[in-house]
Structures are given as structure tokens and as C-alpha cells.
Amino acid sequence: ILNVEQSPQSLHVQEGDSTNFTCSFPSSNFYALHWYRWETAKSPEALFVMTLNGDEKKKGRISATLNTKEGYSYLYIKGSQPEDSATYLCALPMDGANNLFFGTGTRLTVIP
Amino acid sequence: NAGVTQTPKFRILKIGQSMTLQCTQDMNHNYMYWYRQDPGMGLKLIYYSVGAGITDKGEVPNGYNVSRSTTEDFPLRLELAAPSQTSVYFCASRSDRGLETQYFGPGTRLLVL
């Protein structure tokens, strides 16, 4: 079991606002970090895989940064839209990288 | 490609009944996983497989069994259903490359009464 923490647990923002949330993890023996987007009543979908300290990935209005030395990753959403409402999960490999350990997620609600 | 498919979508079981949750993937992935999702608890790994004929326990394997006779299929068996097994179950798969993301099925919602 890994100590993967996501904060905040939930978040409500107005449409058009930008927002960000955090995934914290043990900085030792870092291998990779995955971000997933999970809409209600659907299945999780991969957003990013990040491996290098200082990595920055972007997909449309969503971007993520990685700091492996201090053990955190930020996910940013610029100009939130109602369709961004979802739970955002981060996950790190464990057991020799065969498996992922998932955080409990940040539940984002974008209010129109 | 259908990706990862799961059946059934929803099932109600009585305590003590058994059932098999089916999972099939058509991406020729060696790695397959079963998770359960409980409110506020995120995804917990039940069992996983790194290839046909090879399975291993995850974080919460008690009360479940799996088999992997083919690359495509990874069924999850509940032998004696208990209320604590009420959950949403997700199957996932990925390719062999270490950094590959997992592809998830649509989930099976199970209610044990």
C-alpha cells in the first residue's frame, strides 16, 4: 500500500473559473504517476502518464505538473466547464510496477 | 475494437449465492485487473494477472477467485456472496510496456442482500 493522498476531496467551482488540485506521494523510489478522469456512471479514462521531475503535460484546458523530489503533482483546469465535472484520480505503480495504487480522488463539480 | 467489456451491468444476489463477473478485452493485453469501488474509498485492487495462466492477489482478495485461461478473458468469481461485497466492480487491462495506462471496462454494479 502506498501513501497517496489527493486534496481537496471535493471541489465546487463556477463555470469559467480555473482550478487546481494536488496528488501527494512518497518521493522515494518514484517510477511514474498516472492521472485519470472518472465521470459519474462511467469508467476511468487516462489523462496523463508522468515520469520525469519537472514534467508538464497538457491536454486541451487540462494540464499537470510533477515534482518527484518533493512528492507531488498538480492538475490544473483552465476555464472550467460543466463537462469537466468528474472525479480526478492519481495513481502510482507498486509491486514492481505491475499494478497501480489509486488515490481516493478529487471530485470536481463545475456549476453552470 | 470493443476495448474492455464486462457483463452483467447490474446484478442482485442473495447472501450465500455465487456468481461470476465476466471481463473480456480485445486488445491482446497481457495485464488484466479487477478492482472494486466503494464510496469514498477509491479503487481497490482485488486480483490481477500478468498473462494467461498467471494470477495474483491484490489488496482485497478475500471472498473472490479468478482464473485466466486465455489472454482475452479474466472472470471474477464470488463463491459465497456477502453484503460486504456490494460494490461496483471494474475490470481493466494494459499492455506489457511498463508505463502504459490501464483501460477500464464499464463496470458491474453488484448488490448483495
Side-chain angles (χ1 to χ4, degrees):
Chain A
I1 296 177
L2 286 179
N3 187 19
V4 178
E5 294 185 358
Q6 291 191 249
S7 61
Q9 205 169 13
S10 67
L11 189 58
H12 289 71
V13 301
Q14 290 292 135
E15 182 176 353
D17 286 351
S18 295
T19 187
N20 66 85
F21 24 92
T22 308
C23 173
S24 302
F25 52 88
S27 56
S28 58
N29 299 318
F30 177 82
Y31 183 66
L33 183 142
H34 297 244
W35 278 104
Y36 284 82
R37 181 173 178 273
W38 192 1
E39 288 183 71
T40 302
K42 294 188 178 180
S43 50
E45 291 184 346
L47 283 172
F48 308 116
V49 181
M50 309 181 79
T51 56
L52 298 175
N53 185 45
D55 246 359
E56 183 167 343
K57 300 264 177 150
K58 190 172 180 180
K59 195 175 196 175
R61 293 178 291 98
I62 303 176
S63 60
T65 61
L66 177 66
N67 184 324
T68 60
K69 293 183 179 179
E70 296 183 38
Y72 64 84
S73 176
Y74 291 140
L75 191 80
Y76 299 90
I77 303 179
K78 185 178 178 182
S80 303
Q81 299 297 308
E83 58 264 29
D84 295 328
S85 297
T87 296
Y88 292 84
L89 298 171
C90 70
L92 283 91
M94 58 182 293
D95 292 344
N98 284 334
N99 307 324
L100 290 177
F101 185 86
F102 285 84
T104 53
T106 291
R107 186 179 181 92
L108 173 68
T109 303
V110 182
I111 303 163
Chain B
N1 279 356
V4 180
T5 57
Q6 292 182 238
T7 56
K9 287 186 180 179
F10 176 67
R11 182 79 182 267
I12 300 174
L13 280 184
K14 293 183 180 177
I15 294 172
Q17 285 186 319
S18 62
M19 78 164 291
T20 299
L21 283 67
Q22 301 290 346
C23 174
T24 300
Q25 52 90 12
D26 62 0
M27 297 175 281
N28 202 33
H29 287 167
N30 277 327
Y31 288 73
M32 294 188 75
Y33 306 87
W34 274 107
Y35 296 92
R36 57 178 286 171
Q37 183 238 337
D38 300 317
M41 298 294 290
L43 289 167
K44 299 291 184 186
L45 182 65
I46 305 171
Y47 270 95
Y48 68 99
S49 170
V50 300
I54 306 169
T55 63
D56 210 344
K57 296 178 181 179
E59 192 181 350
V60 290
N62 291 344
Y64 306 95
N65 278 303
V66 293
S67 59
R68 186 92 184 272
S69 56
T70 66
T71 299
E72 294 78 19
D73 300 306
F74 190 39
L76 178 73
R77 179 92 178 151
L78 283 71
E79 290 294 349
L80 289 170
S84 61
Q85 293 177 306
T86 293
S87 189
V88 182
Y89 292 84
F90 288 95
C91 179
S93 73
R94 73 164 175 90
S95 72
D96 289 2
R97 289 178 289 172
L99 297 181
E100 279 294 307
T101 58
Q102 295 183 14
Y103 294 86
F104 284 81
T108 293
R109 185 175 294 273
L110 177 66
L111 181 60
V112 182
L113 300 173

